[in-house]
Amino acid sequence: REGNNEKRELMTQMGFNGAEIGAEGPFSSKSKASYIINYRYSTLSIFKALGLNVGTGNAVPEYQDVNFKMSFPLSKNNSKVTVFGLGGISKADLLGNDVDTTQTDFYGRIDQNQYAKYKTGIVGSSYERNFGEKTFMKFTLGASASDQNFTSDSIAIFNPEKPATKDQTANFNNQKYSAIININHKFNSKNTLNAGANTDLMKFNFFNETISNGVARQFVNQKGDAYLSQAYTQLKHRFSNKFSVNIGAHAQHFSYTNDFVVEPRAGLKYALNGRSSITVGYGMHHQMQNIYNYFIETPTEKGIELTNKDMGFTKSDHYVLGYDINVTEQVRIKVETYYQQLSKVPVNSYSSSYSSLNDGLSFAPSDVTNLVNKGTGTNYGVELTLERYLNRGFYFLITGSVFDSKFKGSDGTERNTAFNTKYAGNVLAGKEFTIGKKGTTSNNLVQENYLI
C-alpha cells in the first residue's frame, strides 16, 4: 500500500515473526508525494534464549528484511510514478553435533553440519495514467535477484577411525528483469476490457556438487538465460444488474524449450439478491518447470547429458463454484468448491512413483533426471471463509479448507501427494484501542495457523 500523504506516522510491533519498525508520511506539506518503509528482524533467537520451543529444534532461522514504497502523483496529466523495493537475508545452521537425539523435533542430520544462507532483492518502478474517464494504463519495470548458498560437512560419529563422508556445496543464483504493461478500458456501463503483457528475462548460474568418500558427483554446473513472455485479454459483459460474464485468454512462450500455449478462461456471476451471489469459473493454466530442473546432469557412457532439457509445461484445468453472502453490513460468508485436473506432470521415463508435484517438501532441490511430461494429478475440496470487516475497531477472518490431493507417477499407481494434509485452517483477528486524547490507535493482532 501507499504511505499516508497527510501526516507522518511511526509503528512498532513484536510478534512470533519478528520485531518490526515502520514509518510513513508525506515528503512535504506542499505535496501529495508519500513514502512508507518497514524493517523486520527475527525474534526466534530471543525466544530460544528464553527457553521457548519455536518448533525448529536446534536449527533456529535468523533473518531480517526491509521493504519500501514511494509514490509521486503528477498533476499535469493525471498520472503517478511509484518506486518500490524489498530486500532480505536469512540463514539457518543445522548442526548435527548440537542435536539432542532424545528429542524428535530436530531438522537436518545427526552426522552432518549443514549451513544454508539466502539473499533476495527486488526493486522496480511503475507509471500509471488515466486517459480520460474510460482508459487506465500501468507500465512497470522491475529487477530481482536471489542467491541461495548451501554447504554441508560430515561428522565422524559412527566410526571415528574410518568415517563415512558426504559433503556438499551448492549455489543457486537467479536474476530476473521484467517489463509489464496493463490497460483497462471501459466501453460503456456494460462492457469493460482488461489486457496486458509482460516479459521476464531470467539469468541463472547454478552449481551443485557432492563428495562422498572422496568421489565427486556433480549435479548441475550451468549458467545462461531464457525468456518467459506472456499476454492476456479479458472482456467483462454485464447482461443485467444481476448477471455478468468474464471471458478471456492467456498466452505464454518459454524461449528455452520454445513452448507456446493459449489458454481460455471464463467466469460468470449471478446475484440472487442484494446480499448474495453465485459464481462459476473455468480456467486452463500452464506452468514452466523450475528452471534449475532443466539442467540437471545425467552421467552416461557418452558423457554428461541433460535428460530433462525437453520438459514442457505442466497443464492444469480449474473448475470453481462459489456462493457468497453478506450476513450483515460487516459480516460476510463465502463457500467455494473447486476441482483441479493436472496433466503433463514431469515423471520418470521408466516405471517409478516419482512425480514433480511432490518437489519442495525438503530443503534440498530435486536432482531427479530422465523426466517426461506423462504424469497426472488431482486436487479438489471445499473452502469456507467467515469475515468481519473493520468496524468499531474490531475485525476477524476465519478460513477453513477440506481437500484431497492425489498424483500418479509413471507406474500408474495413484497415491497421496506429500502435501495432502486433508484439512487446514486459519484464524486472524485484530482490535484497535484508542490511546490518549489525540485518538492514536494501537493494533492488537492475534493470528493462529493450523496445518495438520
Side-chain angles (χ1 to χ4, degrees), residues 69-84:
K69 183 175 183 179
M70 296 180 288
S71 176
F72 305 93
L74 306 176
S75 57
K76 291 183 179 180
N77 51 16
N78 196 23
S79 60
K80 179 173 63 176
V81 173
T82 58
V83 179
F84 57 88

Side-chain angles (χ1 to χ4, degrees), residues 387-444:
E387 181 178 12
R388 173 190 164 95
Y389 305 116
L390 179 62
N391 183 50
R392 296 182 178 178
F394 176 65
Y395 68 93
F396 63 76
L397 178 66
I398 302 172
T399 62
S401 179
V402 179
F403 59 90
D404 194 39
S405 179
K406 303 286 189 182
F407 77 96
K408 287 185 181 180
S410 55
D411 60 2
T413 301
E414 186 175 68
R415 299 176 174 88
N416 291 318
T417 69
F419 309 98
N420 194 13
T421 58
K422 300 297 185 179
Y423 59 91
N426 186 78
V427 178
L428 173 68
K431 172 64 178 176
E432 290 187 345
F433 299 93
T434 301
I435 301 175
K437 297 181 180 180
K438 295 183 179 180
T440 315
T441 59
S442 173
N443 291 320
N444 184 11

